Amino acid sequence: MNGHTPVDEMTPPVSPLSSSSARAGLAWVEEGPSSPRHHRAESSARRTAPTPGAPGDLTLPMRFMVTGLGTLTLLALVYPWHLELLRGSFYDPHLLTFVHVNTLGVIGAVIFGASYQMLPIVLQTPLAAPRLARLSWWLYLPGLIAFVIGLGHGPAALLGVGGMLIYAAVLLYVWVIGNTLRAAPTRDTTWWHVAAATTALATGASLGLLLALSKHVGFLAGLTLPTLAAHVVLMLGGWVTPLLTGVAYRLVSMFTLTEDRLRETWATRELWLTAGGAWTLAASLLLGLGTFVSAAGAAAILAGLVLFGVQIVRLYRLRLRRSPDVHIPFMLVSMASGLLAAGLLTWGFASGYGPLDPIWIVVGWLAIVGWAQTAIQGFLYKIGPFLTWLHRYAPVAGLQRVPMLEQLYSRRLALAGWAAWTSGLLLGALAPLTTLEGVPVAAAVCLSLGAAAVILNGARVGSHWLR
């Protein structure tokens, strides 16, 4: 690549990242105009007229992204003092605080930001009510701070206040995404994944608010643990999982230029299994339907993730660009973690493990740190540089030399971070199952190094906005 990119090929008329323009743009900035990959992408772009997508203002998603990366920075500093909590009770307030810093502070914040930016592009329709979307951040951030302080060491009243603020932010998010879905011109498999995930989020967040309010008043009494279990299942299995799989189908096929190879029937079956399994398991835990129903719900989630994994691996095998892509190892580790978490979940219910058994902490660890956070890191390495290139360099491409995507960050640092993060993930999964003193510390060091790599590369990508 000679460093020059024609403006007309890269700048969509309305959206910074319409589907067809994205395919052509990805080929341009990664391999240049003479690559076979570009010609296929360009042909596809000519066949599909660009349609309205997300607005060019990135301040909304960036607020959530900065919140997520800032929380990850905090976690990188405190990991060595908190991973010992994995050997305690899952209802320990300190462990619950640590979990919610990971889920609300990293996973939730990044998903909110990515949804506001990417879903209009994926759904090919403008974001509904952007003012309400902006308001959701102003509720989310103080709610997160108050909730974490109240759950950990602060006044119990902060827990309720923080919970209500976060719940209000979630309701605004659900309203915005729901109305965006209503306006979408087509209802493909990604649409149904997002719709299912948004429904589970609304329900799971409602259970979370009940738990936050009951923590101070105690009105749930004996229903506290069943409600907590149902809340966890709906948030991780009902919201995060369908959202990750549904968006992954679109993004991975776009990254690999294999959109014509995606098997929609497989994706539909995966959604029925994962979403249906999550709702079945949550209902069983909340209503006390027994271990057989719980195991059946967990097994359905496992079967759905198997279908997802087979499809994603197939797309990677059929990709036109044979050189390794930096997001692929993250995605493979994420899928392996999700499968292992779902497998242990099924085995735990089928074997009749009690609620205090450490296997449930291992399942939660693999689902949160392995399945969700690892996938998010991999996608950030593609989405962040691509959006930065489109907004920062597309307007001047063809007029001056511009970098390729992989020149916006350090590939070596990314892969080193992946290796460290994966090592910490595995050691952290072993921590609840062993009494060896060095395991939590080693896991913490590896995770801190992996998180530091993401943060440093994120800062490197962000520095291009200042040039």
Side-chain angles (χ1 to χ4, degrees), residues 57-291:
D57 182 16
L58 285 179
T59 58
L60 170 60
M62 287 305 296
R63 290 171 183 172
F64 283 97
M65 294 294 186
V66 170
T67 299
L69 289 177
T71 306
L72 186 61
T73 303
L74 174 64
L75 286 170
L77 297 174
V78 303
Y79 273 134
W81 292 274
H82 287 78
L83 287 201
E84 189 68 34
L85 295 172
L86 296 176
R87 291 175 168 172
S89 168
F90 67 87
Y91 199 58
D92 181 342
H94 297 90
L95 181 57
L96 286 177
T97 303
F98 180 69
V99 167
H100 282 87
V101 170
N102 279 271
T103 53
L104 293 175
V106 179
I107 298 173
V110 172
I111 286 180
F112 273 40
S115 297
Y116 287 143
Q117 176 63 31
M118 299 303 297
L119 287 184
I121 297 163
V122 171
L123 299 175
Q124 291 292 278
T125 190
L127 186 69
R131 289 184 179 179
L132 294 181
R134 293 187 183 94
L135 177 59
S136 68
W137 181 81
W138 290 102
L139 296 173
Y140 193 92
L141 181 60
L144 170 65
I145 296 172
F147 184 85
V148 169
I149 294 176
L151 188 59
H153 305 281
L158 284 178
L159 184 62
V161 172
M164 288 187 289
L165 288 174
I166 292 174
Y167 186 67
V170 168
L171 290 182
L172 290 178
Y173 171 86
V174 170
W175 176 267
V176 171
I177 298 303
N179 281 278
T180 304
L181 288 169
R182 288 179 55 190
T186 59
R187 297 187 176 184
D188 58 7
T189 185
T190 300
W191 189 98
W192 287 106
H193 276 76
V194 175
T198 306
T199 303
L201 170 62
T203 308
S206 298
L207 295 178
L209 178 62
L210 288 177
L211 288 165
L213 297 176
S214 179
K215 187 75 173 177
H216 179 59
V217 181
F219 57 85
L220 285 177
L223 290 176
T224 299
L225 289 182
T227 303
L228 175 62
H231 164 71
V232 171
V233 170
L234 285 178
M235 296 301 285
L236 292 175
W239 175 46
V240 173
T241 295
L243 195 61
L244 283 180
T245 57
V247 174
Y249 291 133
R250 182 63 63 87
L251 294 183
V252 171
S253 61
M254 184 184 76
F255 296 154
T256 58
L257 294 179
T258 54
E259 288 172 301
D260 56 335
R261 305 297 184 92
L262 180 66
R263 294 184 175 178
E264 297 278 344
T265 55
W266 289 19
T268 300
R269 292 168 185 167
E270 171 269 314
L271 176 61
W272 278 103
L273 288 167
T274 52
W279 280 98
T280 300
L281 178 55
S284 178
L285 293 170
L286 189 59
L287 303 177
L289 301 181
T291 56

Side-chain angles (χ1 to χ4, degrees), residues 9-10 12 16-29 41 45 118 121 254-255 257 259 386 390:
E9 293 287 346
M10 273 305 304
L17 185 56
S18 67
S19 179
S20 57
S21 299
R23 290 191 292 272
L26 201 60
W28 269 105
V29 297
M118 299 303 297
I121 297 163
M254 184 184 76
F255 296 154
L257 294 179
E259 288 172 301
F386 195 19
L390 284 171

